[in-house]
Amino acid sequence: MSKKRTWIKRSLHTLAYLLGLVMLISTWLSDFLPIYEQIFRTGVILYLSIIYIEFVDGTILDRIKPSVLFEESTKRAQKNEVDVLIQASRMTLYWVRMVQASESELEKEYNEKRLQEHLQFIEELELPKKYHKDRRDILEEARGFMNDMLKQG
């Protein structure tokens, strides 16, 4: 069923772009339209195409959306920083599990050391202010786990 929907969606997207292309070609091949009318119609067709790409089309053209092309570099950098924080959070969980799953004392010490290094890395991350609380929560959870492990061990 999903393959059928995908095929239908692709067909509709192709039809929309072909329609736009036919409209552009017919506008410029028309002998009866003055040049200002041709330019105006071309602008309208391009505007509608951009709106379609921006809000409807979910294909490879997502990379050339106007919102992506003209996005501020700071927003892009923030997204990268947030992605790094999310990945760091996942790695923290990984190292916590590794400490818990350690079978020997040597393995446990190694994993605890790696967890401490990872927590140090998280502390040194330069993040926007609105993500400081999230970082602090991650660090508190991991350190709470470490304190519990020390009490038990």
Side-chain angles (χ1 to χ4, degrees):
M1 184 72 174
S2 65
K3 287 185 180 182
K4 188 174 184 178
R5 286 185 193 165
T6 304
W7 181 81
I8 292 171
K9 285 172 87 175
R10 286 182 183 169
S11 298
L12 290 175
H13 293 314
T14 304
L15 181 67
Y17 292 122
L18 284 174
L19 180 65
L21 188 61
V22 166
M23 289 170 61
L24 275 175
I25 291 171
S26 66
T27 297
W28 284 100
L29 292 179
S30 174
D31 293 334
F32 302 110
L33 292 175
I35 189 75
Y36 64 87
E37 183 70 23
Q38 290 175 337
I39 292 171
F40 175 76
R41 287 184 181 196
T42 300
V44 169
I45 293 167
L46 291 176
Y47 176 75
L48 292 174
S49 298
I50 289 171
I51 296 297
Y52 181 79
I53 290 170
E54 183 70 36
F55 297 108
V56 178
D57 192 1
T59 61
I60 192 80
L61 294 175
D62 279 343
R63 294 189 183 123
I64 62 167
K65 282 182 175 181
S67 62
V68 172
L69 290 176
F70 299 110
E71 187 177 70
E72 296 176 20
S73 61
T74 55
K75 285 184 181 178
R76 235 181 278 147
Q78 272 186 345
K79 286 182 182 178
N80 290 339
E81 292 165 345
V82 170
D83 290 342
V84 168
L85 183 62
I86 290 170
Q87 184 62 29
S89 173
R90 290 179 181 155
M91 284 303 296
T92 303
L93 290 174
Y94 169 78
W95 285 115
V96 165
R97 288 186 200 119
M98 290 300 290
V99 170
Q100 289 174 332
S102 299
E103 294 179 3
S104 68
E105 192 61 34
L106 184 61
E107 185 181 3
K108 183 178 178 182
E109 287 176 13
Y110 172 77
N111 289 330
E112 285 176 353
K113 180 181 175 196
R114 293 298 307 260
L115 177 59
Q116 289 295 341
E117 290 171 357
H118 183 69
L119 294 178
Q120 184 65 30
F121 166 75
I122 293 175
E123 283 180 3
E124 294 170 358
L125 282 176
E126 292 183 21
L127 297 169
K129 284 187 176 183
K130 64 182 179 180
Y131 298 110
H132 285 231
K133 182 182 181 310
D134 296 328
R135 174 178 44 196
R136 188 174 53 247
D137 291 344
I138 293 169
L139 291 171
E140 285 176 5
E141 286 289 324
R143 289 199 174 114
F145 166 76
M146 292 297 293
N147 289 336
D148 290 344
M149 288 298 291
L150 288 174
K151 289 178 185 175
Q152 291 175 0

